[in-house]
Amino acid sequence: MFDSTAFPITTRWPAQHPDRLQLYSLPTPNGVKVSIMLEEIGLPYEVHLIDIGKNETWTPEFLALNPNGKIPSILDPNGPDGKPLALFESGAILLYLAEKTGKFLSKDPVTRIETLQWVFFQMAAVGPMFGQLGFFHKFAGRAYEDKRPLERYRKESERLLNVLETRLEGRDWIMGDEYSIADIALLGWVRAIPTFYGAGELVGYDKLKNVPAWLARGISRDAVQRGLNIPARPQ
């Protein structure tokens, strides 16, 4: 049987079901990528809330799993060749789970690499830019007298939304008819613009047609609804 105690993180967040994949997360735009994916694929897992408000990602136990000190992270007791696998970076986790289960990533070589292209687009552009927009529009950055950083991230976020608007013209999903990890990677971040960040008007979200329709399709999926609230935020 898998010995979860070999991983320091399980001493702080003990596994009640050590035979299941362990998810360490919080329902942020990055965190929900993995919870949505796990709900979509139906793989048994156990979730542990990591309270970033209490700096729990900077504890020695968490850093032993993820030296970058960010959520989400996973510990899969049934990794490749039956060996346990610890993994961080949400995009890498999506790719791993897709390959592990054969779901939401095409086996066609061209479609597969194009799907990963859009996952990397989210990781490299959408996440960092939208996150900075949120910081300067809603959080501590609001107090900065110099509004040039806000304008920088506002303009870039608006541009990225229009990249998605163009991509989704005539498509239900990022890759066309097939829902994929590209959609899962992007849903939480796009949803955050008009909701969590309250920045829809700032970036012209209401002027878009394809992006809001795509987001509504994604949000209507039962697995997405569940994944958006896993784990429950601390009260």
Side-chain angles (χ1 to χ4, degrees):
M1 175 181 280
F2 167 63
D3 180 14
S4 62
T5 62
F7 293 84
I9 197 166
T10 65
T11 63
R12 187 179 181 103
W13 291 277
Q16 301 300 312
H17 304 279
D19 58 320
R20 300 179 186 178
L21 184 146
Q22 306 293 308
L23 169 64
Y24 306 91
S25 192
L26 189 73
T28 66
N30 272 333
V32 299
K33 296 179 207 172
V34 178
S35 53
I36 289 171
M37 181 66 171
L38 286 166
E39 289 295 312
E40 290 279 15
I41 61 180
L43 193 68
Y45 71 99
E46 181 177 352
V47 64
H48 305 273
L49 185 145
I50 307 299
D51 192 341
I52 60 178
K54 295 180 179 178
N55 292 321
E56 289 184 340
T57 58
W58 301 111
T59 60
E61 296 89 351
F62 190 88
L63 290 170
L65 184 71
N66 181 354
N68 194 36
K70 303 291 183 181
I71 59 95
S73 297
I74 65 169
L75 174 57
D76 186 359
N78 302 300
D81 300 321
K83 299 177 181 179
L85 174 70
L87 197 62
F88 64 94
E89 283 298 325
S90 55
I93 296 171
L94 288 181
L95 175 57
Y96 170 68
L97 293 174
E99 292 185 337
K100 179 182 177 75
T101 61
K103 296 180 178 180
F104 304 116
L105 181 60
S106 175
K107 291 181 174 58
D108 173 74
V110 173
T111 305
R112 180 182 185 277
I113 200 64
E114 288 182 353
T115 305
L116 294 179
Q117 167 187 257
W118 287 99
V119 173
F120 295 159
F121 168 77
Q122 182 279 302
M123 300 292 293
V126 168
M129 294 299 107
F130 286 15
Q132 292 292 345
L133 175 66
F135 174 80
F136 284 102
H137 177 63
K138 179 176 180 178
F139 297 111
R142 292 181 64 181
Y144 293 6
E145 290 185 14
D146 187 348
K147 298 304 177 185
R148 287 174 295 180
L150 171 61
E151 179 60 13
R152 155 68 176 155
Y153 295 118
R154 184 203 67 77
K155 288 178 65 176
E156 185 63 2
S157 295
E158 183 176 40
R159 185 189 72 80
L160 292 169
L161 282 169
N162 278 282
V163 171
L164 289 174
E165 179 76 0
T166 300
R167 174 63 182 180
L168 288 163
E169 182 65 37
R171 293 181 171 91
D172 283 345
W173 305 109
I174 296 296
M175 293 308 299
D177 294 334
E178 298 295 325
Y179 176 79
S180 72
I181 59 172
D183 301 287
I184 294 172
L186 284 157
L187 280 169
W189 278 108
V190 174
R191 176 178 176 264
I193 289 292
T195 57
F196 185 57
Y197 294 144
E201 184 176 354
L202 197 66
V203 296
Y205 183 84
D206 292 340
K207 297 177 183 178
L208 304 174
K209 176 187 68 173
N210 301 325
V211 170
W214 161 84
L215 180 61
R217 280 190 291 275
I219 296 298
S220 71
R221 296 176 67 93
D222 290 342
V224 174
Q225 282 289 311
R226 294 191 300 270
L228 286 171
N229 297 293
I230 296 174
R233 282 185 172 272
Q235 298 298 315

